[in-house]
Amino acid sequence: MKTVSYPPSNRFFRSSSLFLPIILFAALQLSPIIASPTSTSPATDNTTESSSYPWKIYKNLDMSTVDIIKKNGYAVEIHHVITEDGYILELHRIPRSKSGQTPTRNHPVFFHHAFLSNSAGWVLSGANTSLSMQLADDGYDVWLGNSRGNTYSRKHVSRNYKQRSYWNFSLHEIGTYDLPAAFDYILMKTNASQLHYIGYSMGTTVFFIMASERPEYQSKIRSQISLAPVAYFTHIRSPIKYIAPYAKMINIAYQRITNGMVLEQTRMRKILASTICVGKMTQKLICQRGIIFLICGSDPLYFNTKLIPMIMGHFPSGTSSMVPEHFAQIKLKGVFGRYDYGPVTNLKRYNSTEPPAYDLTSIQVPITLMYGKNDLVADVQDVMKLKSQLPKLMDAVLIDNPYFNHVDFMWSTEVNQRVNDPIKETLRKTDNMDWKYSGPNLPNSKDISNVSSSVSGASGEVNISSGAGNAGGNDIFDIGSRGHLDITDGGSVNISDSGTVNIGGSAGHLNISISAAVDVGGSGNVSGSGGSGSTGSGAPTDLDYFTKNLGKIIADAMPRPVDRESDASDFGRERVLQEKLLADAIEFVRSVQKKYGSTLTWQESSTIATGDHRKIEHVVTSPNDG
């Protein structure tokens, strides 16, 4: 079997250590959206590989979203809309099919990208696998959004993007200002009363914020489809969760160094993308295994690396340093809530020292969730928690592929079969003018054990393996005098609110092994003589802990071998590489903490709307325009 030899010296990793923690920190949404699209046909292949020379720059690396759409034979329009607080957003529209057919469907479709990404992510893989282009061919009027601060939406009516005041926004502003402005404009231009919303990763987060904070817009959404939905990070398995305690410090550092702009797209990054991520060995070791698989989950079978250079040419696309800190706050607090400015400013803004939580139960929009077992960012258990709070859930689709990770939702080689086709079917149903929500179509998942009342018995036994048991509200796990609760092989029990695990008698047992865990929150408790529970955020604040347990942390993030004999050895090599890379990231964080830790102080800030600035402008281009 072919093996991969690693550099005998760690000097290479030392030289690149500056970039590694930044990339990891940026992926706090993880999403983290560093990935490769699927293979495409020669007619729509967006790469030009004329040489195996590792430093050759890809011909199409600089292609914009508009250029990519035109290259694939579609008409495209550029539209601009101004939000209530003055940010100028750029929307990209595919107004008709490749054959030139105008839209025949009843409602337009709006796409929103992930963290640090932009509209290019929806079209990079070409017409064969791009959901946006396929929907245009199916008769939909397709619109691609760009959040404030990214490559395409970096203008403001009165501020310059180099000013600190420009970058003074979090997830909340994207959800409450950007989305409503885009919706109003699209519905006006198309003369429609509702639209379909498709969000990926952070694109789902900001939708949930919008729907809970701006309820008047719920009636404008015909249906919503969430790919890799993110609202909670309690069970996030990606190693980036260990950076969360340092997010505030990193935010302050960025405020001082760049006025709050984080990971903008630059020429240098494009050059690195066209060199490091093109060479066969460096692409596999660094771009694929050392970054993508480490953050998002290893998928050795269905993840296609063909377009990695072009992806990295568009990613990262820039945002405010407050955005990743907002994600980190959600992780650390265990609450899907508004941005925490600190007690003083919170009191002024929220009339409370703690920021309020978003009310997911108030969202009266038909929603479909799609999630994967091997998604290290949007963990199955967190998706189940989200699902339980959505009153108009249409469906919760677990992708039937054990390796399906966070980025496979857009760029897996099986994306048509696993993602695109089911979405098309959902849209065909909900786009019908006579369709009305009639209740959920919930799957029977063997991976989740939801306790609705109690599990009890003197000799009863509850076995949870590679799954989860959730005890919430007044739910109870009652284990009698000879009962056993065995949690093995990555299983976990979540005890929240007034949930209880009672272990009675001298022979009662709570066995926790391998990477299993018991999370106790709220007024939940574990009582008796046979077990134990762990509380807290799950993210230690001591780098010594991280250093000491680095091997186990990375091993826990790897998927279990399923059906390939080589999986175990492949994953073993990945673990070795990831441990080297992350060790250098830790060293960098230590150096920053040592240099700035004693002087960094929290700078409270605010974002103030500047009135109604919803001016509109647009430019129309065609596939044949220069």
Side-chain angles (χ1 to χ4, degrees), residues 422-435:
I423 289 177
K424 292 177 189 177
E425 182 61 32
T426 297
L427 292 180
R428 276 192 287 269
K429 178 174 64 175
T430 57
D431 195 65
N432 190 309
M433 296 299 292
D434 295 329
W435 177 84

Side-chain angles (χ1 to χ4, degrees), residues 251-323:
N251 178 21
I252 297 172
Y254 270 110
Q255 293 284 342
R256 292 189 171 191
I257 298 170
T258 66
N259 284 330
M261 176 172 58
V262 58
L263 291 174
E264 76 281 10
Q265 191 178 86
T266 64
R267 173 63 58 178
M268 179 55 67
R269 288 199 175 94
K270 289 188 177 183
I271 292 175
L272 292 174
S274 66
T275 53
I276 293 177
C277 289
V278 172
K280 185 176 181 180
M281 182 175 182
T282 54
Q283 181 192 80
K284 191 170 186 178
L285 294 182
I286 298 177
C287 302
Q288 178 184 329
R289 294 182 174 180
I291 299 176
I292 302 167
F293 284 1
L294 172 68
I295 295 171
C296 302
S298 295
D299 182 0
L301 299 183
Y302 308 103
F303 182 80
N304 192 309
T305 62
K306 189 173 184 180
L307 295 180
I308 281 183
M310 196 169 181
I311 287 289
M312 299 303 289
H314 287 269
F315 179 95
S317 192
T319 191
S320 165
S321 57
M322 291 173 64
V323 172

Side-chain angles (χ1 to χ4, degrees), residues 338-530:
R338 296 184 63 171
Y339 185 84
D340 189 347
Y341 291 91
V344 176
T345 303
N346 285 345
L347 194 60
K348 295 178 181 178
R349 282 176 162 265
Y350 311 134
N351 198 31
S352 170
T353 56
E354 287 292 325
Y358 295 114
D359 185 8
L360 293 169
T361 62
S362 68
I363 302 177
Q364 297 296 320
V365 175
I367 295 175
T368 297
L369 306 177
M370 301 186 74
Y371 56 102
K373 289 182 179 179
N374 191 35
D375 189 336
L376 300 188
V377 180
D379 187 83
V380 172
Q381 298 173 67
D382 291 328
V383 175
M384 291 300 100
K385 181 176 181 180
L386 168 65
K387 182 190 77 171
S388 69
Q389 296 179 346
L390 298 174
K392 294 191 73 171
L393 182 73
M394 284 184 58
D395 209 344
V397 181
L398 175 62
I399 305 298
D400 187 19
N401 180 333
Y403 293 112
F404 215 81
N405 65 22
H406 194 66
V407 294
D408 281 336
F409 288 91
M410 294 184 70
W411 306 303
S412 166
T413 56
E414 292 192 332
V415 71
N416 282 337
Q417 171 190 352
R418 305 293 186 185
V419 179
N420 294 358
D421 290 346
I423 289 177
K424 292 177 189 177
E425 182 61 32
T426 297
L427 292 180
R428 276 192 287 269
K429 178 174 64 175
T430 57
D431 195 65
N432 190 309
M433 296 299 292
D434 295 329
W435 177 84
K436 292 184 179 180
Y437 175 77
S438 59
N441 176 28
L442 299 179
N444 294 320
S445 175
K446 62 184 178 181
D447 299 296
I448 299 294
S449 173
N450 292 309
V451 183
S452 59
S453 54
S454 65
V455 177
S456 60
S459 299
E461 183 169 335
V462 179
N463 297 308
I464 302 174
S465 179
S466 297
N470 301 315
N474 293 313
D475 299 336
I476 298 173
F477 273 115
D478 191 3
I479 305 171
S481 60
R482 294 179 179 272
H484 293 268
L485 175 57
D486 298 319
I487 311 168
T488 62
D489 195 24
S492 66
V493 172
N494 308 311
I495 308 160
S496 60
D497 299 328
S498 299
T500 304
V501 173
N502 297 317
I503 306 172
S506 59
H509 292 282
L510 171 61
N511 302 319
I512 307 173
S513 61
I514 308 181
S515 58
V518 175
D519 298 325
V520 184
S523 57
N525 65 85
V526 176
S527 60
S529 58

Side-chain angles (χ1 to χ4, degrees), residues 4-53:
V4 177
S5 59
Y6 297 106
S9 170
N10 199 32
R11 285 176 295 177
F12 171 81
F13 299 105
R14 299 255 182 251
S15 65
S16 62
S17 63
L18 175 64
F19 300 99
L20 295 171
I22 295 176
I23 293 173
L24 293 173
F25 171 72
L28 266 173
Q29 202 294 125
L30 304 226
S31 54
I33 322 322
I34 309 172
S36 161
T38 57
S39 302
T40 61
S41 70
T44 57
D45 191 351
N46 291 326
T47 63
T48 301
E49 297 175 278
S50 58
S51 171
S52 60
Y53 184 56

Side-chain angles (χ1 to χ4, degrees), residues 52-336:
S52 60
Y53 184 56
W55 310 112
K56 183 172 181 63
I57 296 179
Y58 270 39
K59 178 180 178 181
N60 297 321
L61 193 63
D62 286 331
M63 291 179 68
S64 66
T65 300
V66 170
D67 293 334
I68 296 171
I69 295 173
K70 290 165 65 176
K71 175 180 168 59
N72 280 272
Y74 294 82
V76 59
E77 297 175 3
I78 302 173
H79 294 256
H80 294 92
V81 59
I82 302 181
T83 67
E84 292 179 22
D85 55 346
Y87 288 82
I88 304 175
L89 311 178
E90 182 167 308
L91 308 180
H92 297 139
R93 181 188 191 186
I94 307 178
R96 48 189 175 272
S97 69
K98 191 171 186 177
S99 64
Q101 177 66 46
T102 56
T104 57
R105 302 290 182 172
N106 296 313
H107 307 93
V109 181
F110 178 80
F111 288 79
H112 199 284
H113 57 79
F115 176 59
L116 283 176
S117 188
N118 58 54
S119 57
W122 297 105
V123 298
L124 277 169
S125 59
N128 284 357
T129 53
S130 164
L131 177 62
S132 60
M133 296 181 191
Q134 291 176 7
L135 290 183
D137 287 335
D138 280 354
Y140 294 94
D141 192 345
V142 174
W143 296 74
L144 311 177
N146 285 290
S147 64
R148 61 181 64 196
N150 80 10
T151 302
Y152 298 108
S153 299
R154 197 160 290 176
K155 295 180 180 180
H156 192 279
V157 296
S158 61
R159 304 171 191 166
N160 186 287
Y161 77 93
K162 294 182 180 180
Q163 296 175 315
R164 179 174 295 187
S165 59
Y166 177 91
W167 299 102
N168 190 15
F169 62 85
S170 66
L171 290 167
H172 183 80
E173 284 71 35
I174 298 175
T176 57
Y177 291 132
D178 290 11
L179 294 190
F183 295 167
D184 286 343
Y185 180 81
I186 293 170
L187 295 177
M188 180 196 67
K189 293 294 293 184
T190 60
N191 198 30
S193 59
Q194 292 180 306
L195 57 79
H196 301 286
Y197 183 103
I198 299 176
Y200 165 52
S201 194
M202 187 193 78
T204 70
T205 310
V206 294
F207 176 86
F208 298 137
I209 292 173
M210 181 281 301
S212 62
E213 293 292 302
R214 302 292 296 270
E216 67 271 22
Y217 281 89
Q218 293 184 18
S219 62
K220 298 182 181 183
I221 309 301
R222 184 68 175 178
S223 68
Q224 196 267 11
I225 297 174
S226 292
L227 307 180
V230 173
Y232 296 101
F233 291 106
T234 304
H235 300 93
I236 181 175
R237 291 175 289 152
S238 175
I240 59 171
K241 67 182 179 181
Y242 295 99
I243 301 177
Y246 305 95
K248 179 177 179 179
M249 178 186 72
I250 297 173
N251 178 21
I252 297 172
Y254 270 110
Q255 293 284 342
R256 292 189 171 191
I257 298 170
T258 66
N259 284 330
M261 176 172 58
V262 58
L263 291 174
E264 76 281 10
Q265 191 178 86
T266 64
R267 173 63 58 178
M268 179 55 67
R269 288 199 175 94
K270 289 188 177 183
I271 292 175
L272 292 174
S274 66
T275 53
I276 293 177
C277 289
V278 172
K280 185 176 181 180
M281 182 175 182
T282 54
Q283 181 192 80
K284 191 170 186 178
L285 294 182
I286 298 177
C287 302
Q288 178 184 329
R289 294 182 174 180
I291 299 176
I292 302 167
F293 284 1
L294 172 68
I295 295 171
C296 302
S298 295
D299 182 0
L301 299 183
Y302 308 103
F303 182 80
N304 192 309
T305 62
K306 189 173 184 180
L307 295 180
I308 281 183
M310 196 169 181
I311 287 289
M312 299 303 289
H314 287 269
F315 179 95
S317 192
T319 191
S320 165
S321 57
M322 291 173 64
V323 172
E325 193 196 0
H326 196 172
F327 277 121
Q329 291 173 356
I330 294 172
K331 162 61 185 171
L332 297 174
K333 294 175 179 290
V335 176
F336 183 47

